[in-house]
C-alpha cells in the first residue's frame, strides 16, 4: 500500500486547472491546445504519446493527472496505455477501467479520435478486461442516437453503460441488454457499483469527467449528470487498494476553434461555448476547490 502521496500531474493545455499541492505542471497550451482539443488525427495522438513518454515520470511514479476541459478526455487513452505498459498488464492479468461521465464517449467519429469516441479504443485493448462508463444521463445512449454508438465493444462484452433516466430499451433488440445497467436514481447507481467494485477486486484505472456531477456540485460547460459529491466519493472508496491510476477532466474553459470542422462538431454536440465574464472565474474557483477534494480521495485510494 502507498504510504505517501505521489505528485499530481497537470497537463496544462487550457490554463483551467487551479494549483494543486506538490503538483508537476507541464505547460502544453501554446503547442498542443488547438491541435488536441475536442479531437485529433491518430498521427497527432502518436506524437502526443511520445511527448508524454519524454516529459512524464513512469506511470507508477506520479499521482492523478488533471487535463483541463472535458474536451481533452480522449487523452485518457494514451494515459491508460502508459499505465498498462508501466505495470505490465496482459490479457491474463488485465486492467479494469471505470469512467465517471455523463456521456458514453463511445460515439462514432471518422477523423481519428475525439473526446466522445475514445472509450472504444480502450475497451478493445487486450490488456483491458472491461470498461464501465458510469453516470450517463445523456441521450447519446437513447434510441435517437443508438446508431452513433460503436457496437463492437458492447457485443464483445467489454463495455457496460451505467445510466439514470435514459430509455435504453433498444439494446434488447440487439441482444445487448446485459451491457446496459439502468438505475432509477443516483443513489441506486452508486450503491450497485460500490457492491460490484468491492466484490470483484482487480487493478483499476479511474477516469473522471466532472460533467457526471450535478451542477450543484460543480459547473462545466457541457450538459451534466446527477451524481452528488458523495456518490463520487463512494466509488473512489470502493477502489481503495485496487486503484493504480487516474485522471480528471471537466474543467470549465472556452475556446474559439481556428479549425472549421471543430467549430461545427462542437456546436453540434451542444457544448456551451460562451460564458459571462463574471461566471468563468466563479466556476473555476469552485472547480479548483473540488479538484483538491478529489485529489485527497484519489490519494487515499491509490494502491
Amino acid at each position: 500500500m502507498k504510504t505517501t502521496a505521489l505528485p499530481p500531474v497537470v497537463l496544462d493545455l487550457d490554463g483551467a486547472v487551479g494549483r494543486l499541492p506538490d503538483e508537476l505542471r507541464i505547460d502544453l497550451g501554446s503547442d498542443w491546445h488547438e491541435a488536441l482539443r475536442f479531437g485529433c488525427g491518430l498521427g497527432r495522438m502518436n506524437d502526443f504519446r511520445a511527448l508524454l513518454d519524454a516529459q512524464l515520470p513512469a506511470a507508477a511514479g506520479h499521482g492523478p493527472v488533471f487535463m483541463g476541459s472535458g474536451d481533452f478526455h480522449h487523452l485518457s487513452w494514451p494515459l491508460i496505455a502508459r499505465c498498462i505498459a508501466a505495470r505490465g498488464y496482459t490479457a491474463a492479468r488485465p486492467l479494469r477501467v471505470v469512467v465517471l461521465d455523463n456521456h458514453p464517449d463511445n460515439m462514432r467519429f471518422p477523423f481519428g479520435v475525439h473526446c466522445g469516441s475514445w472509450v472504444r479504443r480502450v475497451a478493445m485493448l487486450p490488456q483491458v478486461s472491461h470498461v464501465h462508463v458510469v453516470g450517463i444521463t445523456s441521450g447519446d445512449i437513447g434510441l435517437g442516437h443508438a446508431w452513433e454508438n460503436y457496437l463492437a465493444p458492447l457485443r464483445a462484452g467489454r463495455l457496460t453503460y451505467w445510466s439514470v433516466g435514459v430509455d435504453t430499451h433498444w439494446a434488447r433488440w440487439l441482444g445487448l441488454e446485459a451491457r446496459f445497467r439502468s438505475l432509477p436514481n443516483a443513489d441506486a447507481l452508486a450503491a450497485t457499483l460500490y457492491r460490484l467494485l468491492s466484490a470483484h477486486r482487480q487493478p483499476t484505472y479511474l477516469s473522471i469527467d466532472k460533467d457526471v456531477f450535478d451542477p450543484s456540485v460543480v459547473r462545466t460547460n457541457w450538459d451534466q449528470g446527477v451524481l452528488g459529491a458523495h456518490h463520487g466519493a463512494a466509488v473512489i472508496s470502493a477502489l481503495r487498494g485496487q486503484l493504480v491510476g487516474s485522471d480528471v477532466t471537466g474543467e470549465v474553459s472556452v475556446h474559439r476553434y481556428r479549425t472549421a470542422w471543430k467549430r461545427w462538431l462542437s456546436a453540434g454536440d451542444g457544448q456551451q461555448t460562451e460564458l459571462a465574464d463574471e461566471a468563468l472565474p466563479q466556476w473555476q474557483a469552485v472547480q479548483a476547490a473540488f479538484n483538491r477534494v478529489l485529489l485527497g480521495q484519489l490519494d487515499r485510494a491509490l494502491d
Side-chain angles (χ1 to χ4, degrees):
M1 293 293 294
K2 184 172 73 79
T3 57
T4 58
L6 295 171
V9 171
V10 177
L11 299 180
D12 195 355
L13 289 148
D14 60 357
V17 182
R19 291 287 167 181
L20 294 167
D22 302 319
E23 68 175 34
L24 169 61
R25 183 173 292 255
I26 301 175
D27 184 1
L28 300 171
S30 59
D31 295 326
W32 292 93
H33 186 171
E34 173 79 16
L36 293 177
R37 187 161 184 150
F38 194 78
C40 64
L42 297 183
R44 185 59 60 93
M45 181 61 82
N46 287 334
D47 292 341
F48 186 70
R49 288 177 189 266
L51 179 143
L52 290 180
D53 289 339
Q55 297 202 26
L56 284 187
H62 64 76
V65 179
F66 292 77
M67 299 183 291
S69 167
D71 292 7
F72 297 107
H73 205 176
H74 48 303
L75 304 186
S76 295
W77 175 26
L79 290 171
I80 292 168
R82 292 184 84 247
C83 182
I84 289 170
R87 294 180 177 269
Y89 295 116
T90 65
R93 179 179 171 266
L95 177 70
R96 176 173 61 192
V97 176
V98 176
V99 183
L100 299 186
D101 202 311
N102 190 43
H103 307 89
D105 286 6
N106 181 49
M107 310 299 280
R108 298 183 186 278
F109 183 68
F111 307 116
V113 62
H114 85 318
C115 57
S117 73
W118 64 275
V119 160
R120 172 183 67 101
R121 297 181 180 276
V122 169
M124 299 308 287
L125 292 172
Q127 306 93 336
V128 171
S129 61
H130 204 86
V131 178
H132 298 272
V133 182
V134 180
I136 303 169
T137 68
S138 164
D140 286 349
I141 63 170
L143 178 60
H145 295 277
W147 67 273
E148 296 178 60
N149 287 255
Y150 285 113
L151 297 182
L154 295 164
R155 284 175 169 156
R158 304 178 67 87
L159 172 63
T160 298
Y161 292 155
W162 296 65
S163 64
V164 174
V166 186
D167 185 351
T168 60
H169 284 91
W170 63 271
R172 296 180 182 175
W173 308 338
L174 300 180
L176 297 175
E177 61 268 28
R179 303 276 61 86
F180 288 70
R181 302 292 299 271
S182 298
L183 284 302
N185 52 54
D187 288 342
L189 182 147
T192 305
L193 181 64
Y194 184 97
R195 289 192 294 270
L196 181 145
L197 297 177
S198 299
H200 302 280
R201 298 179 63 82
Q202 67 179 103
T204 301
Y205 187 101
L206 176 64
S207 181
I208 300 173
D209 188 334
K210 287 177 286 184
D211 70 14
V212 77
F213 293 104
D214 186 89
S216 64
V217 177
V218 68
R219 296 291 298 270
T220 77
N221 53 334
W222 286 94
D223 57 302
Q224 292 189 229
V226 296
L227 293 194
H230 60 294
H231 297 126
V235 172
I236 295 172
S237 68
L239 292 173
R240 188 160 190 171
Q242 305 180 70
L243 191 67
V244 297
S246 61
D247 63 60
V248 179
T249 65
E251 309 301 314
V252 57
S253 68
V254 293
H255 178 64
R256 174 67 178 175
Y257 294 104
R258 296 191 300 270
T259 310
W261 69 266
K262 288 189 178 184
R263 290 198 300 270
W264 176 64
L265 287 173
S266 178
D269 273 353
Q271 185 183 26
Q272 184 177 350
T273 57
E274 300 292 338
L275 293 175
D277 290 342
E278 65 275 11
L280 185 59
Q282 293 173 359
W283 290 14
Q284 288 181 335
V286 175
Q287 286 269 8
F290 191 52
N291 282 344
R292 291 191 290 272
V293 171
L294 289 175
L295 178 59
Q297 294 169 349
L298 292 167
D299 277 342
R300 289 189 290 274
L302 191 61
D303 186 9

